Amino acid sequence: MTRKERWLSPMPILDQPALVDFLTQFGSSSEAYAKHVWKHVFKCTDPQLEEVPNLPEGAAEQLGVQFSLLTSSIQDKRVSVDGTIKLVVRLQDGQMIESVIIRHSDFMPRNTLCVSSQVGCQMGCKFCATGTMNLLGNLWAGEILEQIWHANTVLQLEGDPPVSNVVFMGMGEPLHNYDPVMAAIHGMTDVHRFGIPRKRVSLSTVGVVPSMRRLTTDAPYVQLALSLHAPSQPLREQIVPSASKWPLPEILDALQGYQEAQARSKSKAKIMIEYVMLKDVNDQEETAHELGALLKGQPYWVNLIPYNPTPGLPYETPSQETISNFSAVVQSYGLRTMERNHHGRDVDAACGQLALQNGAAPSEDIEDLGLAPKRHVQQAAPKTQQKRRLKDKTERTGKSESVDDGTYNQLNLREVLVPVLSAILCVLAIYWAVVSSGGYFAGSEVDLEESIL
């Protein structure tokens, strides 16, 4: 039997709906009490829920009984040759989900976490491994946030900065589990918790129209990605069975509504069109013309995703030449395209590959892998944690730490250059003012801003 809703006991302390509901029995300030709890959890090196301060009498004791710091655990960890890390997370009821850490190593190292929102998926996309699992259950908001907690723990143990970007592109359809996903987004962007900037949260959907319309009010700041994969309704229904429920014109109308909501809120978040390239299915030149005509005039980015082969599925990856030609045709309609890079393909962590092999649980636990920390790993917002790590390293060694295999520390570079350049500009401005006034100020003050402009 398909199970959508699941009951957890103890409940995850990171789950805002559950925590606020629990605290309402102690008064009307449940939201404020919840902030006290999270401050204790995220600031203490070894948080004990029974010791949370500033709570009503008896609340902390009950908190320690009904809630747990973590309700899930890392069951398995696999590292790709490109540095991508796939985590298999065991939930409280024994079910498994997967999340993926994508490590970027350009001028400013950052880590993106691909999170799951459901156990399995009901959308049934023909080319997606998760779609073969069916829907086994919805995740709580706290379980989604625990994936960030686990990822940060792994990254800190490897000396890397914490998660800075989150994409809802793992197992499940996020908008099919709407309320927990919204609560999780609020949690990960909350400055009292993970502190991830709102513009760095992306959500992918096959097009659940009612929830897309709700999103225009609840979270127009999220970067929305529509998993389109076909420019016509008949072709889309062949590879995305759920497309029969929401016709393409309705989906595009909802997408237009979201774009308008972004404009009203002055959000700079992008709207992406995701398009998995399947050989001899949706990669033909005429299909590219259909896609270009369908989206012409819109400011969307078209993300072309070469199919990642999955055992048991009958699809193949098009050639690079085919993908490049397809991209050129779409661009001829005034659209911007980009090709997604493969991450973690060798450990089945790439797009469309997330599904537990044969439904079997991995044999090793985190303790066996040497991943379990001997003490609590303190969580912090990405920028704060990165600066703290660099500062600690400098204090210990007396040298500025170089990040990402010799790349110069951008944070320290900025801290040095900004005041130096500001001082130079001020000196030049004063000099210009003196020269232009005949060598003296003539009793008037010099407006430095006006001089510089």
Side-chain angles (χ1 to χ4, degrees), residues 45-46 48 153 157 366-367 370-378:
T45 55
D46 186 20
Q48 301 296 321
T153 299
L157 292 173
I366 183 171
E367 288 79 9
L371 294 173
K374 296 180 179 179
R375 60 177 179 82
H376 165 71
V377 175
Q378 189 173 359

Side-chain angles (χ1 to χ4, degrees), residues 173-379:
E173 162 57 58
L175 295 188
H176 200 224
N177 187 26
Y178 188 85
D179 291 332
V181 165
M182 287 298 103
I185 290 175
H186 293 154
M188 64 184 65
T189 57
D190 181 8
V191 294
H192 298 288
R193 286 174 273 179
F194 294 99
I196 295 173
R198 299 194 302 181
K199 64 181 180 181
R200 294 183 180 174
V201 177
S202 302
L203 185 150
S204 176
T205 177
V206 297
V208 182
V209 171
S211 295
M212 289 176 68
R213 298 196 188 283
R214 291 179 63 187
L215 201 64
T216 61
T217 301
D218 296 339
Y221 50 82
V222 169
Q223 296 200 97
L224 187 62
L226 172 64
S227 294
L228 184 62
H229 310 310
S232 66
Q233 186 67 21
L235 178 57
R236 194 163 191 262
E237 289 185 16
Q238 288 180 28
I239 55 180
V240 183
S242 62
S244 60
K245 187 171 184 178
W246 296 290
L248 196 50
E250 287 188 32
I251 293 175
L252 294 179
D253 182 68
L255 198 63
Q256 179 67 29
Y258 189 76
Q259 178 188 337
E260 293 170 357
Q262 285 184 322
R264 288 193 298 271
S265 63
K266 298 181 180 180
S267 170
K268 296 181 180 180
K270 300 182 182 68
I271 293 180
M272 306 287 294
I273 302 296
E274 294 180 308
Y275 196 96
V276 171
M277 301 285 292
L278 305 171
K279 183 178 179 180
D280 298 331
V281 176
N282 64 354
D283 65 339
Q284 298 87 347
E285 183 177 341
E286 57 268 28
T287 309
H289 282 289
E290 288 184 63
L291 181 62
L294 179 70
L295 302 176
K296 185 177 181 179
Q298 298 295 344
Y300 309 146
W301 284 82
V302 180
N303 191 1
L304 301 178
I305 308 171
Y307 172 68
N308 293 301
T310 302
L313 298 183
Y315 300 103
E316 297 180 18
T317 308
S319 66
Q320 183 58 52
E321 181 182 3
T322 298
I323 296 174
S324 297
N325 292 339
F326 191 98
S327 177
V329 170
V330 174
Q331 289 178 10
S332 70
Y333 286 83
L335 297 165
R336 291 170 290 186
T337 67
M338 58 188 297
E339 183 182 330
R340 179 177 297 181
N341 294 325
H342 298 298
H343 294 286
R345 180 184 270 188
D346 57 311
V347 294
D348 296 326
C351 179
Q353 291 185 317
L354 298 190
L356 296 173
Q357 299 297 321
N358 301 320
S363 58
E364 295 179 302
D365 204 320
I366 183 171
E367 288 79 9
D368 302 322
L369 296 169
L371 294 173
K374 296 180 179 179
R375 60 177 179 82
H376 165 71
V377 175
Q378 189 173 359
Q379 305 282 322

Side-chain angles (χ1 to χ4, degrees), residues 434-447:
V434 172
V435 172
S436 62
S437 61
Y440 59 96
F441 291 106
S444 64
E445 295 183 356
V446 177
D447 189 333

